[in-house]
């Protein structure tokens, strides 16, 4: 039978999904061998030996270095690296600094903030390696930054101390002292971003878009964007007059679901916002079964924007463009791992000028299903991933031996087929076969849309690199990116 192996902290709904579909859960105590599994799903990165030892019939749900874009500090570093080299192609994220390394630059930026232009708060600060809105605060002065960071550091210290204490008790060791926990907590990283103080509003509420991307192969590069997604709303009217109201400034569902105001969906017939009059905003989605109007679907958002004069085709193209350029930034760091894939969750905000801004990328986007809206979307995502990656097929008919160490041979064979074709339509038809050569079900993407390769020329260019160059990162980075970015920009 099909066996799925879970790491720590995998959401219960994901386990239920696989169990309901007849998968067996890997269990060492039940006698399952260390190496007998078909899919390994966990929330953290895998050690290199897991990637190296994977068999051809096995799939691992993390790339070798997906953290290059999912850790907030590494995302800032890598986007800045791309911005330096490729200029305005990468001007889609707020200016970001990493503390403590760039504390001096943060101080200079804070001093340069014009408090007289009516635009506070100027900055938002986040723990670089935490999720679900924990530890986030807004500030507009150096003293406010220090005061709030000290307070959040103390909370983090206490949480870590309690976690270490429980773990020590479980392992039969003495709990660490307060001093030991405090020393460990002081090495945390923080990121500071310029705050987007003029967000596009829905019925007076701030929102962000949660979109999904799948990378089934890094070499040759294959990138897919899910055609559906979520819109997450704040639960109190946005105002920049107060920086302490988290329900107005943060859109994280994990935070807003605890706001008593979120329990009663509201309808606003008319509202003047974003510099125009918005028609019939209804803060209700999926018959209010989504947790009190806290979430919309991307389709509902685009429909609402279209009704209010926004070019929604352009918005979705910009969304895919932003996501793809971000995914490209991780390629230089990813090592070959034919059995790995990764699902990324992108958090994107829109300002009043309908420009999109990347806020962060999530390593383990929530697949919890607390509502019918979530269940419909996330079940569909999991269904498409399982079919697209041929997980069921590989589990039922496992190929012998290890996977190929390098996709060179498959690339050469596909290039030969392409060069035999003279009809451009026939060449384009082979684009669908591109994924089929590299662990992806040929021709089936479900609701995933292929954003790279974007056409036959992109595919051929990448295959030629794969056939010639052994180092995927450097080859793609040094040879292929600039022409590709030029092509993207022409399509937007």
């Amino acid at each position: 039978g099909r066996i799925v192996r879970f790491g720590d902290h995998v959401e219960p709904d994901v386990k239920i999904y696989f169990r309901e579909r007849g998968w067996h859960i890997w269990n060492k105590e039940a006698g399952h061998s260390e190496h007998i599994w078909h899919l390994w799903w966990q929330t953290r990165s895998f050690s290199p030996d897991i990637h190296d030892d994977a068999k051809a019939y096995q799939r691992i749900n993390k790339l070798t270095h997906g953290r290059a874009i999912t850790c907030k500090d590494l995302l800032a570093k890598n986007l800045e690296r791309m911005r330096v080299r490729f200029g305005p192609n990468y001007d889609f994220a707020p200016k970001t600094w990493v503390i403590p390394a760039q504390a001096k630059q943060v101080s200079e930026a804070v001093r340069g903030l014009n408090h007289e232009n009516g635009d506070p708060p100027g900055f938002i600060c986040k723990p670089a390696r935490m999720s679900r809105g924990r530890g986030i605060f807004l500030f507009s002065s150096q003293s406010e930054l220090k005061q709030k960071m000290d307070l959040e550091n103390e909370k983090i210290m206490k949480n870590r101390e309690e976690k270490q204490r429980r773990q020590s008790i479980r392992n039969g060791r003495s709990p660490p002292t307060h001093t030991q926990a405090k020393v460990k907590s002081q090495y945390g990283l923080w990121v500071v971003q310029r705050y987007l103080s003029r967000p596009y509003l829905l019925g007076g509420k701030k929102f962000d878009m949660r979109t999904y991307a799948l990378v089934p192969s890094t070499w040759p590069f294959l990138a897919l964007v899910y055609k559906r997604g979520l819109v997450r709303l704040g639960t109190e009217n946005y105002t920049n007059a107060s920086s302490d109201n988290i329900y107005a400034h943060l859109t994280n569902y994990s935070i807003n679901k605890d706001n008593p105001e979120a329990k009663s969906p509201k309808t606003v017939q008319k509202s003047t916002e974003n510099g125009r009059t918005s028609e019939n905003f209804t803060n209700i989605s999926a018959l209010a079964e989504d947790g009190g109007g806290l979430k919309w679907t991307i389709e509902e958002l685009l429909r609402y924007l279209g009704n209010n004069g926004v070019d929604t085709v352009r918005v979705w193209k910009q969304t895919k463009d932003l996501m793809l350029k971000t995914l490209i930034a991780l390629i230089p760091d990813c090592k070959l791992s034919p059995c790995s894939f990764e699902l990324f969750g992108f958090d994107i905000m829109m300002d009043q000028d309908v420009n999109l801004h990347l806020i962060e990328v999530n390593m383990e986007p929530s697949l919890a299903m607390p509502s019918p809206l979530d269940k419909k979307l996330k079940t569909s995502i999991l269904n498409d991933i399982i079919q697209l990656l041929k997980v069921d097929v590989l589990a039922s008919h496992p190929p012998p031996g290890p996977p190929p160490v390098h996709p060179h041979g498959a690339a050469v064979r596909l290039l030969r087929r392409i060069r035999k074709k003279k009809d451009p339509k026939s060449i384009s038809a082979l684009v669908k076969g591109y994924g089929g050569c590299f662990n992806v079900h040929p021709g089936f993407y479900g609701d995933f849309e292929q954003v790279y390769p974007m056409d036959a020329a992109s595919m051929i260019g990448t295959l030629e690199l794969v056939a010639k160059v052994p180092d995927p990162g450097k080859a793609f980075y040094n040879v292929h990116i600039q022409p590709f970015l030029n092509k993207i920009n022409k399509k937007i």
Side-chain angles (χ1 to χ4, degrees), residues 219 336 406-408 461-476 478-479:
W219 196 241
L336 285 171
H406 194 281
H408 168 87
T462 302
L463 288 173
E464 287 174 343
L465 283 176
V466 173
K468 294 176 183 177
V469 186
D471 188 328
K474 290 181 180 178
F476 195 82
N478 294 332
V479 181

Side-chain angles (χ1 to χ4, degrees), residues 45 79 101 108 112 116 118 123 161 186 233 250 264 285-286 417 424:
S45 299
L79 289 184
E108 292 172 352
E116 297 179 359
F123 304 90
E161 183 183 27
Q186 289 175 340
L233 294 94
L250 302 185
S264 303
S285 172
R417 290 173 58 197

